[in-house]
Amino acid sequence: MTYRLAPIDKRPFAAEREDDFTVIGSVVQRSDARGHVTGRTEFFEDVAPPGLLHLKMHRSARHHARIRGVDLTAALAVPGVTRILTHADIPNNLYTPLKLIGVGPDDEPILAVDKVRYLGEPICAVVAESEAAALEGAARVRVDYEDLPAVFDVEEALAEGAPLVNEYHGQNFFKYEGHHCRRIRFGDVEKAFGQADHVFEWRYESAPIEQAPTETTGCVVVPQADGRLRIHSDTQACFFTLDNTALILEVPFNRLRIVGGTVGGGFGGKVDVTVEPVACVAAMVTDRPVKFVYDRDEEMQVSSPRAAERIYIKDAVMDDGRIIGRKVTLYVDSGAYARHTPYGTTKAAAHLPGPYSIPNVWADCHCVFTNRTPSSAMRGFGVTIGDFALESQMDRVARALSMDPLRLRLLNAYRDGDLKAHRKVAEGTALVEVIQKTAELVGHELPEAYRRMSSTTREGL
């Protein structure tokens, strides 16, 4: 079968472009392709320094519990176990990765102190001469728990009397400049509902989604003669990892060197700083290289997934298809800790009400703490699930009106010069032309009036 690339439509942004494309519309070989297919590409696990120690975690067997005691006796008796790290060994045991951009508070222990808040939370790190010894040592750690009520549903977590998940926040939601959620208030949405010919409301929901990279999360840390640490990591964000690790270790940034190499699949799941800090501490206290890599069970259970979301969308719609009001209530499940989800929730709010010109918009976007695995980044996080809900809503509205869904979108699509719900003027929109071109390519007939529409004018609407 032969595939042909569609010709480039040069109408959008015609005044802003030059006809000197050399990549778009052509086939270009990836720079790393040859290394991958010949087996010459190096990954962090190809680093095997002499004297390498292995680190494995003992993780929480409870979703929510107080830690009444930790017994390391049997674990320390395992032949080959050289050291077991607890929270007391971590210089700065409390952090949040977004502190680098001024988002706080610090809310997540590197190793649990007196409480666990999700199944699989790390409690102590066993360092041993072999992977087998480290695994056996981790299995022999004994933790005495006092079980606490857990909450797994975002709306139940916000209800009065719900178990408190994260004491560092003091409530089960992230505060945005003193507000309980990210908010949009544009126009008068309740008035729009009163004026509308139709009011449609539906609920949308997603489950957590694991990135499932071929290569699991991990690193190898090698102490250097000058006192620095060389960190071979599959992180997606080298300097982000370096800076956060230095803050946790309480050392100058220049004491660390990150060697990023090739990431064997990430998709957002390898931006959290979860393995490097503990491996660095182990390397510092033993003065030997240390390897810490998730097995597949850990990758699926404790690496940060895309957040689960629940979205309610209520639209005020006229008979001709014009949407005059949209109300959105969004709940984003951050899990037990913040990580990147407050940022993802902000992105979700910034994306509302979709690429449409709606004169009245109301949105509350909640970042909620539950006793689930902390969520974080994955491919357009904050936007992807919102797009699924918004565009599903558009299709359902079109069906309810017995209207072509592309015509509904063309009618409501934002144009250059429109004031968006965030009070920013839209420019370079081109959505109308994209829909028209898509319809043409798939043989979807549009009336002449819709084919004449443009992103640069509202004439004819």
Side-chain angles (χ1 to χ4, degrees), residues 182-257:
R182 275 284 182 223
R183 308 181 307 161
I184 301 173
R185 301 293 186 266
F186 184 68
D188 187 340
V189 74
E190 295 302 328
K191 183 178 179 181
F193 290 135
Q195 295 173 340
D197 296 319
H198 309 274
V199 175
F200 301 110
E201 183 173 14
W202 289 290
R203 164 178 158 166
Y204 305 90
E205 194 156 7
S206 68
I209 302 173
E210 162 60 29
Q211 298 87 352
T214 303
E215 172 200 47
T216 59
T217 302
C219 69
V220 173
V221 178
V222 184
Q224 303 296 291
D226 60 2
R228 300 175 73 199
L229 295 175
R230 188 175 75 237
I231 306 167
H232 299 266
S233 172
D234 60 3
T235 176
Q236 290 178 246
C238 286
F239 291 102
F240 184 80
T241 295
L242 186 153
D243 291 352
N244 268 303
T245 300
L247 292 175
I248 292 164
L249 299 180
E250 294 184 339
V251 300
F253 298 139
N254 62 10
R255 283 281 305 280
L256 306 179
R257 177 190 172 200

Side-chain angles (χ1 to χ4, degrees), residues 63-64 107 115-119 121 149-159 162-167 169 171-174 208 305 307-310 331-338 341 366-375:
H63 293 284
H64 195 200
D107 74 336
K115 189 178 180 183
V116 290
R117 298 173 176 84
Y118 68 95
L119 185 69
E121 182 162 1
V151 60
F152 305 106
D153 181 87
V154 285
E155 292 185 80
E156 290 177 9
L158 295 180
L164 179 61
V165 174
N166 192 317
E167 291 82 356
H169 290 273
Q171 65 282 319
N172 287 343
F173 56 86
F174 186 88
E309 298 184 27
R310 182 175 300 158
Y331 301 97
V332 181
D333 191 342
S334 186
Y337 299 108
T341 302
H366 305 262
C367 176
V368 186
F369 300 115
T370 68
N371 291 111
R372 299 172 79 169
T373 302
S375 60

Side-chain angles (χ1 to χ4, degrees), residues 84-413:
I84 299 180
L85 304 177
T86 69
H87 64 87
D89 296 295
I90 310 299
N92 176 21
N93 192 52
L94 192 66
Y95 91 116
T96 187
L98 290 181
K99 68 191 303 175
L100 292 172
I101 58 172
V103 176
D106 291 341
D107 74 336
E108 180 172 4
I110 306 301
L111 296 175
V113 181
D114 55 4
K115 189 178 180 183
V116 290
R117 298 173 176 84
Y118 68 95
L119 185 69
E121 182 162 1
I123 297 175
C124 54
V126 178
V127 185
E129 298 287 348
S130 68
E131 184 178 16
L135 284 168
E136 184 177 352
R140 292 195 182 188
V141 174
R142 295 292 176 260
V143 180
D144 182 16
Y145 296 104
E146 177 188 341
D147 288 331
L148 296 170
V151 60
F152 305 106
D153 181 87
V154 285
E155 292 185 80
E156 290 177 9
L158 295 180
E160 186 176 353
L164 179 61
V165 174
N166 192 317
E167 291 82 356
Y168 298 106
H169 290 273
Q171 65 282 319
N172 287 343
F173 56 86
F174 186 88
K175 282 187 176 179
Y176 293 94
E177 290 83 47
H179 298 293
H180 67 288
C181 62
R182 275 284 182 223
R183 308 181 307 161
I184 301 173
R185 301 293 186 266
F186 184 68
D188 187 340
V189 74
E190 295 302 328
K191 183 178 179 181
F193 290 135
Q195 295 173 340
D197 296 319
H198 309 274
V199 175
F200 301 110
E201 183 173 14
W202 289 290
R203 164 178 158 166
Y204 305 90
E205 194 156 7
S206 68
I209 302 173
E210 162 60 29
Q211 298 87 352
T214 303
E215 172 200 47
T216 59
T217 302
C219 69
V220 173
V221 178
V222 184
Q224 303 296 291
D226 60 2
R228 300 175 73 199
L229 295 175
R230 188 175 75 237
I231 306 167
H232 299 266
S233 172
D234 60 3
T235 176
Q236 290 178 246
C238 286
F239 291 102
F240 184 80
T241 295
L242 186 153
D243 291 352
N244 268 303
T245 300
L247 292 175
I248 292 164
L249 299 180
E250 294 184 339
V251 300
F253 298 139
N254 62 10
R255 283 281 305 280
L256 306 179
R257 177 190 172 200
I258 295 278
V259 182
T262 302
V263 180
F267 321 111
K270 291 177 179 173
V271 297
D272 289 337
V273 188
T274 55
V275 293
E276 295 86 0
V278 177
C280 283
V281 172
M284 291 166 71
V285 300
T286 62
D287 196 30
R288 289 175 60 182
V290 174
K291 179 180 181 179
F292 179 19
V293 58
Y294 287 175
D295 61 26
R296 181 56 60 184
D297 286 346
E298 286 178 300
E299 188 70 40
M300 298 301 292
Q301 175 64 46
V302 302
S303 68
S304 301
R306 183 192 297 281
E309 298 184 27
R310 182 175 300 158
I311 309 173
Y312 297 89
I313 305 178
K314 183 179 180 180
D315 283 347
V317 186
M318 305 307 291
D319 283 332
D320 63 1
R322 287 180 296 115
I323 302 173
I324 63 170
R326 173 163 284 175
K327 183 175 184 177
V328 180
T329 305
L330 166 65
Y331 301 97
V332 181
D333 191 342
S334 186
Y337 299 108
R339 296 203 184 170
H340 289 83
T341 302
Y343 170 58
T345 306
T346 296
K347 287 173 62 182
H351 200 59
L352 298 175
Y356 304 106
S357 185
I358 301 175
N360 302 285
V361 178
W362 182 102
D364 274 2
C365 302
H366 305 262
C367 176
V368 186
F369 300 115
T370 68
N371 291 111
R372 299 172 79 169
T373 302
S375 60
S376 194
M378 183 181 179
R379 286 292 176 93
F381 70 115
V383 173
T384 309
I385 303 303
D387 270 343
F388 149 74
L390 291 167
E391 296 310 318
S392 296
Q393 180 83 359
M394 296 298 285
D395 285 345
R396 296 175 81 170
V397 169
R399 284 197 296 270
L401 297 176
S402 298
M403 186 175 183
D404 178 347
L406 292 190
R407 297 187 201 179
L408 178 71
R409 287 173 169 83
L410 285 166
L411 183 66
N412 290 284

Side-chain angles (χ1 to χ4, degrees), residues 14-30:
E16 304 173 28
R17 67 199 311 164
E18 297 177 2
D19 293 339
D20 59 353
F21 293 117
T22 59
V23 175
I24 296 176
S26 63
V27 177
V28 178
Q29 181 176 301
R30 287 176 55 108

